[in-house]
Amino acid sequence: GSRSAQQGAAGGDGSAGGAVAHTPSTEDFSLSLLDTNLPAEAEPELRSFIAKRLTKGALFEGMGNVASVGLSIPEGKVGCYYCRFQQESLLEMATLESDINAPEYVVCFLGGSEKEDTFRLELDKYIQNLKINLDLEQKTLEACVSPYLRSWFEDAICPIQRVVQLFQDKLASLLHAALSYTPVEVKNADERTEKDISRFLAAASLQGLVQEGTMTSLCIAMTEEQHKSMVIDCSGPQPQLHNAGSNRFCEDWMQAFVNGAEGGNPFLFRQILENFKLKAIQDINNLKRFIRQAEMNHYALFKCYLFLKNCGSGDILLKIVKVEHAEMPEARNVVTVLEEFMRE
């Protein structure tokens, strides 16, 4: 073929592997291997799987997909993340000189489960960074693909697990900071730990799940409350937290993470994190429903109060609905009454 596509792959234990392809837009193309650590008998099977996807036109530039694939490896059936991309600098050269075709690549990562889908956005970003690095350094893909792709599991999948293992029972405060949009300052940490904490906070926040205006207002409100900034000092073996907040909701979910740590499965940690956010969103929606009812019904107002008292996360939920209902007089009055009740 006149264009090429690359596939990297890895086992669920983080061992990386890959294969690479040549793919024109027609069905008549060949796949050429660039790099892999798959067993020799499994690599052609992965190549065949990717070829079928390319033939169907199912790969969009820069957008990863996750599917289950059966291979001749001990795990048998594994989850496969695959993403097609082109190197920007070579693409520009190809458009200038029409007889040159810019090479295309397909990167594949294999995990021990089909749950890579929970990490699809992280892996998309990982591929995007590969493209950026290639263009900045003006290197060929072959020159830097191996070291970069082989660390995919550690860099893209394991940060949440590492944070859980580092913070242990202090994780509740990190979950609380993520939910409440509290600014977090990390001191005396190495670069990887700082990145891990930042990724964990981003993954645990409700960004994209609550209205953007609400999120912005919450961020502004929390930043203005300077005493609320949480400081994480990583100078010792265990991180020390200053100005840390927590609540019963975050304590309960912290326990789920700590219990899951025994198995050491990073996909499980991500699933727990998604469930944590889902429950927080359900609680916010329930509270909003109760507030709408409470505008006309005193008994519903009491139900609001009981819900806030019993959900374990009343402090954060009240802040979120206060911001969202700032422009609605009736709802704002209900929230004011609830604030007084909760203070008492």
Side-chain angles (χ1 to χ4, degrees):
S2 55
R3 299 190 294 174
S4 63
Q6 176 239 332
Q7 314 156 4
D13 59 353
S15 58
V20 187
H22 262 62
T23 71
S25 50
T26 65
E27 290 184 21
D28 179 26
F29 60 82
S30 64
L31 299 176
S32 57
L33 176 67
L34 182 65
D35 186 39
T36 185
N37 73 345
L38 272 177
E41 61 273 19
E43 188 274 317
E45 296 166 345
L46 178 63
R47 196 186 293 222
S48 168
F49 167 78
I50 292 298
K52 283 175 190 165
R53 287 290 198 271
L54 287 165
T55 303
K56 290 176 184 171
L59 276 77
F60 296 102
E61 154 62 77
M63 287 175 60
N65 297 271
V66 175
S68 183
V69 57
L71 299 172
S72 301
I73 52 176
E75 292 89 349
K77 211 163 194 182
V78 289
C80 174
Y81 166 91
Y82 55 99
C83 181
R84 189 187 115 219
F85 79 91
Q86 283 178 285
Q87 200 173 331
E88 304 289 348
S89 51
L90 294 180
L91 188 61
E92 285 165 19
M93 280 171 61
T95 50
L96 291 171
E97 303 174 46
S98 54
D99 59 328
I100 297 177
N101 281 316
E104 286 193 71
Y105 304 92
V106 179
V107 179
C108 301
F109 297 129
L110 301 182
S113 77
E114 291 173 49
K115 292 181 180 172
E116 269 99 336
D117 200 33
T118 57
F119 285 98
R120 192 169 48 80
L121 294 177
E122 280 91 341
L123 291 171
D124 280 354
K125 197 171 177 184
Y126 198 68
I127 300 304
Q128 193 60 35
N129 286 340
L130 175 63
K131 282 176 67 172
I132 291 166
N133 291 340
L134 284 172
D135 288 328
L136 286 176
E137 297 173 24
Q138 293 294 305
K139 284 183 179 177
T140 60
L141 191 67
E142 290 81 351
C144 68
V145 69
S146 290
Y148 188 84
L149 291 184
R150 283 173 192 277
S151 62
W152 76 275
F153 197 78
E154 281 294 310
D155 291 351
I157 308 294
C158 293
I160 291 171
Q161 181 179 25
R162 286 197 294 266
V163 167
V164 171
Q165 289 167 344
L166 178 66
F167 279 79
Q168 310 244 341
D169 57 352
K170 293 178 181 174
L171 193 73
S173 296
L174 212 55
L175 292 169
H176 189 270
L179 269 191
S180 60
Y181 301 94
T182 302
V184 174
E185 191 184 338
V186 182
K187 291 181 173 177
N188 304 314
D190 59 69
E191 190 183 353
R192 189 173 84 162
T193 302
E194 199 165 337
K195 271 188 185 170
D196 284 353
I197 292 170
S198 172
R199 283 181 184 177
F200 184 92
L201 288 167
S205 82
L206 300 181
Q207 189 163 3
L209 299 175
V210 297
Q211 295 169 21
E212 206 167 306
T214 301
M215 203 177 65
T216 307
S217 302
L218 271 170
C219 288
I220 292 167
M222 294 309 288
T223 307
E224 283 172 354
E225 294 180 37
Q226 283 304 321
H227 64 283
K228 285 284 185 184
S229 288
M230 186 168 89
V231 178
I232 302 170
D233 186 351
C234 296
S235 52
Q238 273 274 302
Q240 297 301 311
L241 311 183
H242 306 283
N243 303 328
S246 188
N247 58 29
R248 190 159 40 84
F249 181 79
C250 294
E251 296 280 346
D252 291 345
W253 280 96
M254 174 271 293
Q255 206 54 56
F257 279 103
V258 172
N259 293 343
E262 293 163 19
N265 181 348
F267 297 104
L268 172 66
F269 289 122
R270 185 51 188 262
Q271 199 54 58
I272 295 171
L273 202 54
E274 292 305 313
N275 294 343
F276 162 79
K277 294 197 297 188
L278 183 64
K279 183 67 176 82
I281 287 293
Q282 285 172 346
D283 285 352
I284 290 167
N285 290 337
N286 282 333
L287 180 59
K288 284 182 190 174
R289 194 174 75 249
F290 288 143
I291 287 173
R292 278 197 301 274
Q293 293 167 0
E295 289 172 17
M296 298 160 287
N297 181 320
H298 286 300
Y299 178 66
L301 179 62
F302 184 63
K303 265 171 72 177
C304 268
Y305 166 65
L306 286 181
F307 177 77
L308 279 171
K309 202 174 157 193
N310 297 326
C311 71
S313 195
D315 58 331
I316 294 174
L317 297 188
L318 208 50
K319 272 179 185 159
I320 291 172
V321 294
K322 186 179 181 180
V323 166
E324 284 200 2
H325 293 131
E327 306 300 319
M328 305 175 198
E330 292 88 353
R332 197 174 64 228
N333 290 340
V334 172
V335 172
T336 305
V337 173
L338 287 171
E339 276 186 314
E340 286 173 17
F341 269 104
M342 292 298 281
R343 269 200 300 273
E344 289 170 19

